[in-house]
Amino acid sequence: MPGAEVAAPAADAVAAGEPNAPQDEGWFGQIKSLAMRMIFIFMISNLFRTFMGGGNQSGGNTGSGVANTAASRLPPCMNLFRPNELYDFYMYIDPSDSKFTNFNKTEALIWTKKNLSYGDWTSGENGDGSYVETFNFPTPEVLLQNSSLYLHVFVTKHGKSPNPKDSNYAKREQSHGAYRLNKYRKKHYKLTSNLLTGETEQSEHDQKKALENIKFEILNYWHPNLTVNFVTDFTAWTRGAVPPPLDKQIRFDPVDNVYYPVVYFNNYWNLYSEYQPINDTVQSLNLTLTFSPISMFKWQLYSSQQQQGEWSKMLNGGGEDDESADQDMLKQALLETNPILLAVTVVVSILHTVLEFLAFKNDIQFWRTRKSLEGLSVRSVLFNIFQSLIVFLYICDNDASWVVRMSVFFGLLIEFWKIPKCMDVKVDWENKIFGTFPRIIVSDKGSYVESETKQYDQMAFKYLGVAAFPLLIGYAVYSIMYVEQRGWYNFILSMLYGFLLTFGFIMMTPQLFINYKLKSVAHLPWRMLSYKFINTFIDDLFAFVIKMPTLYRIGCFRDDIIFLIYIYQRWIYRVDPKRVNEYGTSMETPDGVTEGDGAAAEASTPAIENEANAKHAKSE
């Protein structure tokens, strides 16, 4: 109904999406997820090739060998529509879901187009076979009552009608699809305020809901765009042998050996942020429908993405509202990024995943076999445990999905596993706490105390504290003055998490200081550092491709500087194979040197590394 406008959504109905997981993992996780999806699509494509070209092949996964054998005996089914055959389509809007019967309801029919050619890719408004129509209508009462509204699409052979009461009823010569136009999403209510002034920017409605201990409400949302794709393909499918996820959408005729072409509702490019809430202030709705053909390959891609989304919802233990805003960033990257750069990003994403796994493996291997702590910053290891604990508590406080929680929790367990490797942990069963709990005594290992490493480690953290504590105090003052919080516990977690996220890179600097004082880098896990170094530059590529806050981009480049300093130290503190240690041996002469050679070596290159470091450097 032209002339009507969509009212601005009320402030009290703006959705508050799920709290985000730690931001420094979300974007990269999405890109790596895209890489895994590409592998999944490739596997599906290989499976799909076995069905191309006729019914003599029956490669579908039916779930049992008996079903496969039975399917191979069935004749192939052809597409109900032949190439260039004329067809019509009818679109209705109605509250009924799977079965539509209100054909005589004239206002239900919103769009019809006739005399279209099946397989025509050149007609339409843009010369690609697509047609676009925009509608504006008063907000239906069913949506205001938090019910659903469906779009029913019938594609019939030309001259046929989808109405069973008409004489030219299409009966089995039509395809039908139904799609729910509205979307149900959760709106969460959390009472936040400025801890100093008690003021809040929340609406009275949201405050009232939070005070009533209502954690969330399921509200109706509307998206103004939808694409209806009509799959154009002439593959001969066999009953019971269609590979997933296509088997859920292809329907076979119960009598003839034909299948109905698929009416696919494509909402992949509908961004999460574009949905608007439906409430009493919304007087009318806009809906732009696009009808266009789609090839089998593209339909297969979209179907696999839809299937992956369903798996993600199942893993997250939630419904439709659990789509993450990170998906919007991924889709925007696909829409706005140069295709060549995007292809490079997908390739290096796979490389990033492999290198991350190798770095993780080598880190565990290094600490499992490490016997001497000389040259290693124990305080940095302990601080990493504190940082991992803060991240875990933060995501638990912000209701992240259990997948994210388990991932961070296992990382935290690995950090705790390092404690006995870098500290002496003893259990005192005699002097119990409160007479019940055994006392745990933690002390520095001998190799750490006896060397100069502990002194340099303490000195590095002393200098680091001079720089970091003013930054921490300043960040805390800013957070308590300008950021609303749910309470003091939430404030402390959010403040520490934000500080560690912004300035966490400086925790790598104590090891640089120890390397400088010892004039050696032979004690470092260089394989693990090499993998992390390459991944840091891959993160730089992500920083250019994906939209992210400036601080995160700066953080990626700051990591580059730290790793470049590590490489510089590796270059200037080279391992000298002729250097003789205090035991009179070197890497070239492990059995010892002559007295003259030893004197000459001692005069030219004084020993500054012990035998253990020399052997470790040789293994590196």
Side-chain angles (χ1 to χ4, degrees):
M1 298 180 184
E5 299 292 338
V6 178
D12 61 347
V14 176
E18 288 285 355
N20 294 331
Q23 298 286 346
D24 55 336
E25 295 291 340
W27 300 298
F28 306 141
Q30 288 298 322
I31 289 293
K32 287 184 285 185
S33 175
L34 174 64
M36 297 306 296
R37 293 177 201 176
M38 297 297 291
I39 297 175
F40 175 77
I41 294 171
F42 175 75
M43 295 173 61
I44 291 294
S45 299
N46 286 339
L47 185 63
F48 172 69
R49 290 192 191 117
T50 61
F51 299 97
M52 299 294 290
N56 294 329
Q57 301 172 348
S58 58
N61 181 13
T62 61
S64 68
V66 176
N68 279 326
T69 303
S72 63
R73 299 173 182 172
L74 297 175
C77 297
M78 310 305 295
N79 194 328
L80 175 66
F81 286 51
R82 306 313 305 156
N84 301 320
E85 184 172 0
L86 298 181
Y87 69 92
D88 309 328
F89 73 77
Y90 303 82
M91 295 191 184
Y92 300 84
I93 288 183
D94 192 74
S96 59
D97 47 10
S98 59
K99 188 173 181 60
F100 177 76
T101 57
N102 294 327
F103 291 99
N104 296 326
K105 191 177 178 180
T106 56
E107 61 270 21
L109 179 63
I110 62 170
W111 192 19
T112 181
K113 211 164 190 64
K114 300 182 179 182
N115 206 28
L116 302 179
S117 178
Y118 188 63
D120 180 14
W121 298 86
T122 58
S123 61
E125 300 178 0
N126 300 319
D128 57 356
S130 63
Y131 299 88
V132 182
E133 193 74 21
T134 300
F135 307 92
N136 185 280
F137 49 89
T139 304
E141 190 65 26
V142 292
L143 295 181
L144 295 176
Q145 295 175 356
N146 219 25
S147 297
S148 298
L149 191 67
Y150 289 84
L151 174 68
H152 293 266
V153 177
F154 294 88
V155 180
T156 68
K157 290 191 174 184
H158 180 57
K160 300 291 184 177
S161 170
N163 190 351
K165 297 181 179 180
D166 291 345
S167 58
N168 58 341
Y169 175 47
K171 202 173 182 179
R172 302 199 327 269
E173 295 182 321
Q174 64 177 337
S175 289
H176 169 245
Y179 175 80
R180 192 178 67 206
L181 292 172
N182 59 302
K183 187 181 186 69
Y184 293 109
R185 281 170 47 186
K186 292 180 182 179
K187 179 180 178 180
H188 292 261
Y189 298 103
K190 293 182 179 180
L191 188 62
T192 61
S193 62
N194 189 294
L195 296 179
L196 295 179
T197 63
E199 297 180 355
T200 180
E201 296 181 356
Q202 287 185 330
S203 64
E204 294 182 1
H205 176 269
D206 289 358
Q207 295 181 56
K208 181 180 178 181
K209 293 291 185 180
L211 289 173
E212 294 174 355
N213 292 326
I214 298 177
K215 293 185 177 181
F216 64 87
E217 281 185 327
I218 299 179
L219 302 179
N220 242 340
Y221 286 79
W222 180 269
H223 197 284
N225 297 308
L226 179 65
T227 298
V228 181
N229 290 133
F230 196 42
V231 179
T232 303
D233 182 74
F234 304 99
T235 302
W237 296 106
T238 302
R239 299 175 191 265
V242 181
L246 308 184
D247 57 341
K248 296 181 179 179
Q249 303 181 60
I250 294 181
R251 296 186 299 109
F252 292 88
D253 187 86
V255 178
D256 298 329
N257 288 328
V258 296
Y259 64 88
Y260 303 109
V262 176
V263 177
Y264 179 67
F265 298 94
N266 189 352
N267 63 350
Y268 181 78
W269 299 110
N270 291 355
L271 299 182
Y272 185 82
S273 58
E274 294 175 347
Y275 283 89
Q276 68 176 78
I278 301 174
N279 50 48
D280 295 336
T281 65
V282 180
Q283 302 298 323
S284 61
L285 296 173
N286 283 332
L287 179 61
T288 299
L289 293 175
T290 301
F291 182 87
S292 65
I294 188 174
S295 65
M296 170 61 71
F297 179 71
K298 286 187 176 180
W299 175 51
Q300 187 180 8
L301 291 179
Y302 284 123
S303 296
S304 63
Q305 291 294 308
Q306 184 181 31
Q307 184 71 26
Q308 191 272 345
E310 293 176 357
W311 290 345
S312 298
K313 295 171 187 176
M314 180 177 62
L315 288 174
N316 290 332
E320 292 186 12
D321 65 298
D322 288 323
E323 288 183 52
S324 173
D326 290 336
Q327 288 287 342
D328 279 9
M329 297 182 184
L330 179 60
K331 294 176 183 179
Q332 287 176 350
L334 295 174
L335 289 170
E336 301 173 2
T337 307
N338 183 282
I340 298 178
L341 180 59
L342 187 62
V344 173
T345 305
V346 172
V347 173
V348 298
S349 298
I350 302 176
L351 177 63
H352 189 283
T353 305
V354 175
L355 293 176
E356 190 174 28
F357 171 77
L358 291 176
F360 174 76
K361 180 184 75 70
N362 281 274
D363 187 31
I364 294 179
Q365 183 178 3
F366 173 81
W367 283 102
R368 187 183 60 184
T369 59
R370 190 70 180 177
K371 296 181 179 179
S372 174
L373 294 176
E374 185 174 0
L376 297 176
S377 175
V378 173
R379 281 173 169 75
S380 294
V381 176
L382 298 178
F383 190 86
N384 286 336
I385 297 175
F386 169 75
Q387 179 170 324
S388 299
L389 179 62
I390 292 298
V391 172
F392 178 70
L393 294 176
Y394 177 82
I395 64 171
C396 290
D397 186 59
N398 284 275
D399 301 327
S401 67
W402 69 270
V403 176
V404 177
R405 293 185 186 183
M406 293 300 295
S407 175
V408 177
F409 177 71
F410 282 119
L412 178 61
L413 290 182
I414 293 174
E415 294 296 333
F416 276 113
W417 171 78
K418 293 180 181 179
I419 294 180
K421 301 296 181 180
C422 62
M423 305 283 290
D424 282 330
V425 181
K426 298 180 180 179
V427 180
D428 186 359
W429 294 95
E430 296 181 358
N431 302 317
K432 296 183 178 180
I433 302 176
F434 302 115
T436 304
F437 303 103
R439 188 181 301 273
I440 299 177
I441 302 175
V442 181
S443 59
D444 294 324
K445 285 185 175 292
S447 60
Y448 178 70
V449 176
E450 295 169 0
S451 67
E452 296 178 330
T453 304
K454 181 177 181 180
Q455 176 185 351
Y456 297 148
D457 202 6
Q458 291 175 340
M459 191 181 304
F461 266 82
K462 177 182 177 181
Y463 296 150
L464 187 63
V466 173
F469 279 116
L471 294 175
L472 177 60
I473 295 173
Y475 190 83
V477 172
Y478 168 82
S479 298
I480 199 171
M481 290 182 62
Y482 297 104
V483 180
E484 293 185 7
Q485 309 289 347
R486 298 197 305 272
W488 288 102
Y489 174 75
N490 175 257
F491 160 70
I492 294 174
L493 280 183
S494 301
M495 182 267 297
L496 289 177
Y497 175 76
F499 177 79
L500 293 174
L501 199 64
T502 306
F503 302 103
F505 76 101
I506 62 179
M507 290 303 111
M508 294 186 288
T509 54
Q511 187 62 61
L512 295 177
F513 183 77
I514 294 176
N515 299 342
Y516 166 73
K517 285 294 186 179
L518 294 179
K519 300 296 187 293
S520 173
V521 294
H523 45 268
L524 296 179
W526 278 106
R527 288 186 180 180
M528 184 269 290
L529 289 176
S530 299
Y531 295 137
K532 285 186 174 292
F533 178 64
I534 299 175
N535 272 351
T536 300
F537 281 97
I538 295 177
D539 294 343
D540 296 340
L541 176 62
F542 291 152
F544 283 108
V545 174
I546 303 175
K547 287 185 177 181
M548 60 176 61
T550 305
L551 282 178
Y552 294 104
R553 289 180 174 173
I554 295 176
C556 292
F557 301 130
R558 289 180 304 203
D559 290 343
D560 294 342
I561 297 174
I562 297 295
F563 277 112
L564 287 175
I565 297 176
Y566 273 113
I567 292 178
Y568 176 71
Q569 289 184 332
R570 171 80 174 186
W571 179 66
I572 62 175
Y573 303 143
R574 300 177 183 177
V575 177
D576 187 359
K578 298 180 180 180
R579 179 179 297 159
V580 180
N581 61 17
E582 62 270 26
Y583 301 102
T585 62
S586 67
M587 295 178 65
E588 285 190 348
T589 57
D591 297 329
V593 296
T594 62
E595 183 178 353
D597 293 339
E602 185 178 357
S604 59
T605 56
I608 60 174
E609 292 186 353
N610 58 26
E611 185 180 15
N613 282 342
K615 290 182 179 180
H616 181 68
K618 185 177 181 180
S619 65
E620 289 289 342

